[in-house]
């Protein structure tokens, strides 16, 4: 029996795929993961041996088999997202330096994707020693090699010389025809800031916020624009401190809102361990906040703390209300977070990109076998995934929830 027929047989056995076989065809790079196969395991190991840092390999699978067909179908809904012929291509590799980390932003005008190096990582020598850098790629170059599984070295990765340099950028998004970065700051006197950068040469930058009524933020992490109000929302956490390039925190870890017209800065949510990734649903009615409380830098890992995504209602006045637990991640923690145009929620996790439907049910993964801190869509059918020392280009059917505020 061919691999494809075997997959189809599995679908029929699962009993949840009731559509005709012709409409349930599993793409060559996809595989069905039968959750019933691991509801009861022969041996369940204690947390000292199996925990939130352990890669889970379902019964009957291996690490190699999971990687060979990297689009993992946990639910029929995921087939609509990946389409008939999804692909995943490694387009860049770094031996040690985690060059492909965060702030994945598509600049539509030049069809380029920007991203940043890991700030505070030992192998990057960033933090107090030097700022993390901004880089970019051409999507045309990535698309040209998308028929290969490994095209590392065939796509040019260009360093962007922002001026003045954005200090330790982490989160980023489109903003008024430019890119806004959440900068973590550097040392005691170079404060965390929101930076706006021209995506075209000379890549000039402007700081639009660097304090809360005179008090330094801790370490700005992610930023998003509300799709209708165009207000700027951002998270502030303590990763600069626990990675040893920022002083001890002076504020609790919170989510803020900046009105770019009036300059008003307000706190819209607190009560997190480490608020991290932030995004909105396509209609702006919901906000999603990733809490990476499990990961504490030089304080280590605490598996009893959040590796969670919380959903809030966004009220007409822009405040956040009615917090609920949307999802809990089983491997690593949810870092970068985005929605597609249908409202499904995606997060970079410990083995790749996880995808949930609007009810919080895990419906699929784009598996890379390692931490994918962030990723983003580039319009319709394209995605760039940052996995620290590896950069990936994926093709699929879904479209990104593209938001850019007006001039």
């Amino acid at each position: 029996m061919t691999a494809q027929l075997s997959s189809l047989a599995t679908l029929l056995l699962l009993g949840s795929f009731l559509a005709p076989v012709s409409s349930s065809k599993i793409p060559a790079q996809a595989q069905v993961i039968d959750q019933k196969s691991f509801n009861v395991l022969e041996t369940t190991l204690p947390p000292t041996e199996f925990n939130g840092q352990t890669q889970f390999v379902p019964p009957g699978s291996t690490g190699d088999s999971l990687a060979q067909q990297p689009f993992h179908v946990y639910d029929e809904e995921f087939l609509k997202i990946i389409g008939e012929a999804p692909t995943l291509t490694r387009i860049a590799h770094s031996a040690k330096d985690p060059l492909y980390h965060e702030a994945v932003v598509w600049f539509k005008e030049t069809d380029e994707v920007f991203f940043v190096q890991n700030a505070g990582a030992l192998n990057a020598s960033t933090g107090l020693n030097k700022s993390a850098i901004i880089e970019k790629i051409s999507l045309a170059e990535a698309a040209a090699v998308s028929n290969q599984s490994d095209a590392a070295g065939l796509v040019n990765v260009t360093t962007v010389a922002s001026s003045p340099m954005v200090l330790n950028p982490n989160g980023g998004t489109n903003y008024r025809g430019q890119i806004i970065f959440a900068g973590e700051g550097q040392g005691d006197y170079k404060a965390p800031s929101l930076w706006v950068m021209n995506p075209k040469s000379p890549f000039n930058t402007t700081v639009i916020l660097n304090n809360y009524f005179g008090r330094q933020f801790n370490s700005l992490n992610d930023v998003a624009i509300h799709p209708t109000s165009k207000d700027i929302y951002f998270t502030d956490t303590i990763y600069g401190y626990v990675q040893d390039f920022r002083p001890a925190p002076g504020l609790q870890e919170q989510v803020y809102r900046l009105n770019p017209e009036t300059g008003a800065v307000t706190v819209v949510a607190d009560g997190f361990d480490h608020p991290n990734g932030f995004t909105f649903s396509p209609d702006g009615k919901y906000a999603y906040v990733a809490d990476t409380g499990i990961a504490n830098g030089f304080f280590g890992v605490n598996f009893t703390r959040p590796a969670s995504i919380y959903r809030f209602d966004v009220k007409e006045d822009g405040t956040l209300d009615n917090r609920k637990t949307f999802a809990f991640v089983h491997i690593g923690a949810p870092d970068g977070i985005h929605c597609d145009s249908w409202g499904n929620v995606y997060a970079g996790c410990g083995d790749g990109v996880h995808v949930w439907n609007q009810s919080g049910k895990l419906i699929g993964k784009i598996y890379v076998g390692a931490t994918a801190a962030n990723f983003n869509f580039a319009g319709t059918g394209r995605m760039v995934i940052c996995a620290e020392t590896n950069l990936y280009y994926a093709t699929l059917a879904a479209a990104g929830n593209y938001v850019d505020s007006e001039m």
Side-chain angles (χ1 to χ4, degrees):
M1 181 179 289
T2 66
Q4 188 178 79
L5 288 174
S6 177
S7 297
L8 290 172
T10 303
L11 291 180
L12 295 174
L13 288 172
L14 287 174
S16 61
F17 285 65
L18 303 180
V21 169
S22 60
S23 65
S24 299
K25 180 179 178 181
I26 304 303
Q29 289 203 30
Q31 60 180 298
V32 173
I33 304 297
D34 179 5
Q35 297 188 72
K36 288 184 178 179
S37 72
F38 54 85
N39 283 162
V40 178
L41 298 174
E42 184 176 346
T43 302
T44 304
L45 299 173
T48 52
E49 298 180 49
F50 194 97
N51 50 56
Q53 289 184 309
T54 310
Q55 292 281 345
F56 177 64
V57 179
S61 300
T62 65
D64 286 342
S65 71
L66 292 175
Q68 286 168 5
Q69 294 169 296
F71 295 88
H72 296 176
V73 181
Y74 280 77
D75 189 275
E76 181 180 18
E77 294 176 55
F78 195 52
L79 294 174
K80 176 183 176 182
I81 288 170
I82 62 177
E84 296 182 356
T87 63
L88 181 68
T89 304
R90 186 174 76 155
I91 56 174
H93 173 69
S94 172
K96 290 176 61 178
D97 188 350
L99 290 169
Y100 321 113
H101 177 60
E102 274 271 15
V104 187
V105 181
W106 174 50
F107 183 53
K108 183 162 57 173
E109 183 177 337
T110 59
D111 204 25
E112 296 173 316
V113 167
F114 291 74
F115 46 89
V116 303
Q117 182 185 32
N118 191 327
L122 293 177
N123 287 328
S125 299
T126 49
L128 281 173
N129 296 317
K130 66 180 182 69
S131 174
I133 59 174
I134 301 169
E135 300 165 289
K136 67 173 182 173
I137 59 167
S138 161
L139 284 173
E141 290 186 14
V145 297
S146 62
N147 61 335
Q148 304 179 42
S149 61
D150 192 352
L154 300 181
V155 174
N156 291 311
V157 178
T158 304
T159 299
V160 175
S162 58
S163 179
M165 177 181 282
V166 178
L167 292 177
N168 291 316
N170 196 73
T173 194
N174 301 99
Y175 177 68
R176 297 185 172 183
Q178 302 188 79
I179 296 175
I180 186 169
F181 288 106
E184 295 188 85
Q186 191 174 50
D188 288 351
Y189 295 103
K190 296 177 180 177
S193 305
L194 290 178
W195 301 73
V196 175
M197 186 189 81
N198 177 3
K200 296 185 287 187
S201 183
F203 306 110
N204 47 298
T205 64
T206 302
V207 172
I208 63 169
L209 182 69
N210 69 358
N211 74 95
Y212 182 72
F213 295 91
R215 299 168 68 178
Q216 284 191 2
F217 294 107
N218 299 318
S219 184
L220 299 190
N221 193 279
D222 201 9
V223 58
I225 310 299
H226 189 271
T228 55
S229 74
K230 310 304 181 183
D231 282 352
I232 302 167
Y233 289 70
F234 58 96
T235 57
D236 183 40
T237 186
I238 64 168
Y239 280 119
Y241 169 60
V242 300
Q243 291 181 307
D244 212 20
F245 65 92
R246 282 284 296 146
L251 290 166
Q252 69 170 322
E253 301 177 67
Q254 304 179 125
V255 179
Y256 295 82
R257 174 176 52 132
L258 167 64
N259 182 314
E261 306 307 322
T262 67
V265 180
T266 54
V267 175
V268 292
D270 62 10
F272 304 95
D273 276 29
H274 304 318
N276 199 312
F278 187 98
T279 198
F280 290 104
S281 61
D283 58 10
K285 292 182 178 179
Y286 299 114
Y288 296 92
V289 183
D291 190 333
T292 51
I294 188 176
N296 298 285
F298 57 53
F299 290 115
V301 179
N302 185 339
F303 298 117
T304 69
R305 304 312 303 164
S308 307
I309 299 170
Y310 300 107
R311 190 180 78 184
F312 294 81
D313 295 335
V314 182
K315 300 177 71 174
E316 288 188 11
D317 63 2
T319 56
L320 304 185
D321 195 15
N322 193 27
R323 165 174 160 158
K324 66 168 290 184
T325 300
F326 176 77
F328 180 79
V329 171
H330 69 85
I331 171 67
D335 197 334
I337 183 170
H338 302 282
C339 288
D340 64 23
S341 61
W342 295 315
N344 299 299
V345 181
Y346 301 59
C349 301
D351 59 0
V353 177
H354 293 194
V355 185
W356 297 266
N357 68 7
Q358 294 180 62
S359 73
K361 177 174 65 176
L362 180 70
I363 59 175
K365 294 183 184 180
I366 304 173
Y367 180 85
V368 300
T371 296
N374 211 336
F375 64 97
N376 210 342
F377 286 93
T380 301
R382 305 181 300 181
M383 178 183 287
V384 172
I385 302 170
C386 282
E388 303 302 317
T389 57
N390 289 303
L391 184 69
Y392 294 90
Y393 175 75
T395 64
L396 64 173
N401 176 29
Y402 180 80
V403 176
D404 193 2
S405 53
E406 299 295 332
M407 294 293 290

